[in-house]
Amino acid sequence: MILFRTLALAVTLQQPALLPDSTVRAFLLPRVASFPDTGKHGTGIVVGLLDATGTRRIIAAGADSASVFEIGSITKVFTTSLLQDMVDRGEVRLGDAVSQSLPTSVKVPARGDRVITLLDLATQSSGLPRMPSNFTPRDSMNPYADYSVQQMYTFLSGYQLTRDPGADYEYSNLGMGLLGHALSLKGRASYEDLLRRRILTPLGLRETAITLTPAMRAKLAPGHDAEGRVVPNWDLPTLAGAGALRSTVNDMLTFIAANLDSAATPLSPMLRRTHGERHATNNPSLKMGLGWHILARPVGNIVWHNGGTGGYRSFAAFDPVRRLGVVVLSNFDASVDDIGFHLLDETFPLRPVPKRRLEVAVDSSVLMRYVGEYELAPTFHVVVTREAARLFVQATGQPRFPIFAESDSTFFLRVVDAQITFSRDGMTLHQNGQNSPGRKIREN
């Protein structure tokens, strides 16, 4: 079954140097031109390239090359870098139970004698779900802002694990947010202060922060949703370690360089220890380091992480064999992963530029016919909801996305190149040249 967000993991035996600026710009410009244009603020993509000599290049399309972006879940590899730093200092051990860093009143779930360790959290294998069940945002435009530490403690104390910690990979924002919180308690400082002292300042990352300085705020690229509207920035006070950082391409290239070169900074040997394979995933070619995903290739590995918030997408990766690095930041809610992978390996296909589609108005009575739940496969359902004059779709295990009408029965997504056709008793998802029919199993 094709999901809304797909990723082809092709490999190559030989790969030339990073592409020239003109080639990169040639595929960035059509991508940016396909973004919906509200005419108020610019949307764009900034790419950073780092070659084996340490030379860096920055190519921008539609955005200033010095812009500040939310980097979302790339924050997670900063959290695990902080973890490794604290391990190296003897302050914690990877095998420590996370409960050792939390108040005794918090009952962290366990199964038998298997407890959740710091390593389990760092390798996305804790057994905790992607998000806690008591995550009910008051403001969907800034969903993490009101989730409190006490709510997290309440969830942990009442949750029952469905499998042993460390058994299986399951990506969890809650787990990495908990790791950042536990480390801040151990370090007796806020997550941001601890990260600044231990990682950001030593690496010279002056434009990477949670709290924007006046200079960073002046360079902030406003985030845009899939309709091209400016959306609020996200705040993650409790789960900061999962996705709260903002940064620039230049700072991110500095971070990548420190990860690539063991002699680049005093922190580089520590950072390299986060790249070692530590846990399997549900993809035999993909392993987990500490926070980093490690994709196996015949000539080496691609070490990577991506991110996304309400109005931004990000990707950071490097090839430790060829010592090449790539950063891609965008202030539009559409994946840039394909760009990042393609820049490191041209056999990773670029996503076709979406056709410019025009939205038409559809009567609300027609929209209501389509609200409900559709089964496209036993384990893959799509729920259609309505808010005012807009329909939204949410596939199993994925975020909710708006869809836009081309006619009374055909709709399209802007976040990816996919379309949906509704019939009297079902829908068909059209994506990547495949048509996946589904029957309606529940009305609104």
Side-chain angles (χ1 to χ4, degrees), residues 2-7 313 333 335 398-399 401 415-416 431:
I2 297 176
L3 306 184
F4 289 151
R5 294 180 178 178
T6 60
L7 177 64
R313 291 299 187 90
D333 186 21
S335 177
Q398 299 187 32
F401 300 116
V415 69
V416 292
Q431 188 178 13

Side-chain angles (χ1 to χ4, degrees), residues 76 149 152 157 199 208 223 232 268 285 331 351 380 400 424:
K76 291 178 172 67
V149 171
M152 180 172 66
S157 296
I199 307 296
T208 302
S268 291
S285 298
N331 66 328
R351 182 163 50 87
F380 184 75
R400 189 178 76 151
R424 187 174 63 179

